Amino acid sequence: MSELVFYPVGGFHYEDAYLDGDVYKNGWGQTLETLNSFGGNYVLISLTEARERIRAAARKPVREITEAEFTEKLYMLPPMNWRAGVSSQSFKFMEMICQDVTDIFAEVDGRFFTLADKSSLSHEQIINRITEEVLKTEEKGQ
């Protein structure tokens, strides 16, 4: 497998790139120029960078939800890493959206939120993200 891949910007997949002489082609023999001639927006990048871009495309910002939505999601699947802190709790879906990105749900001071991010985020990191993206922004607006 090549260290480089063809990645469609904003997409959730990539195609392996193989060196044929001095030109990279995909498994169908298409070059970067050919892929883009069909209206695509492909770039030739490292596999590591493509995977990180896919993760970034799958992440979702913090959004406030209702208590009913939170409770529904809690009982939809067995929760992963259900944790509680002082006036907060969080859990994650066991199913991944893409690679290691999953839906995350949290309660902070009686308010309920959702976001999508790496499944490895700790409870503290989740609460910090909600605080930074929503709660502090609201305080500044008052």
Side-chain angles (χ1 to χ4, degrees):
M1 186 163 91
S2 170
E3 293 295 319
L4 295 177
V5 296
F6 294 112
Y7 171 71
V9 175
F12 289 95
H13 71 283
Y14 57 84
E15 298 181 37
D16 290 332
Y18 305 96
L19 192 57
D20 183 11
D22 60 347
V23 176
Y24 280 94
K25 298 180 179 179
N26 66 8
W28 305 97
Q30 298 168 314
T31 64
L32 180 63
E33 182 179 285
T34 304
L35 289 168
N36 286 329
S37 71
F38 297 129
N41 187 16
Y42 284 81
V43 292
L44 184 63
I45 58 176
S46 72
L47 177 58
T48 302
E49 184 177 350
R51 287 180 175 161
E52 187 50 44
R53 286 187 183 195
I54 290 169
R55 280 187 196 99
R59 290 183 184 124
K60 297 175 197 163
V62 175
R63 175 176 67 84
E64 192 160 5
I65 60 174
T66 66
E67 182 177 7
E69 289 175 279
F70 179 87
T71 303
E72 175 190 4
K73 301 303 183 187
L74 179 60
Y75 294 109
M76 186 176 287
L77 296 169
M80 181 172 72
N81 295 355
W82 191 5
R83 299 286 185 263
V86 177
S87 68
S88 66
Q89 64 175 316
S90 69
F91 69 92
K92 304 163 191 159
F93 271 174
M94 295 179 82
E95 292 182 350
M96 300 298 129
I97 296 169
C98 182
Q99 296 181 29
D100 62 347
V101 175
T102 191
D103 287 303
I104 300 170
F105 301 89
E107 175 188 8
V108 180
D109 293 328
R111 294 174 64 186
F112 301 88
F113 302 91
T114 186
L115 61 130
D117 209 324
K118 292 182 180 182
S119 61
S120 61
L121 285 184
S122 69
H123 174 72
E124 291 76 21
Q125 290 172 314
I126 294 166
I127 301 309
N128 286 341
R129 184 156 166 210
I130 292 167
T131 300
E132 291 297 318
E133 291 183 28
V134 177
L135 303 177
K136 281 190 177 177
T137 304
E138 290 177 352
E139 287 176 11
K140 289 178 185 176
Q142 292 181 3

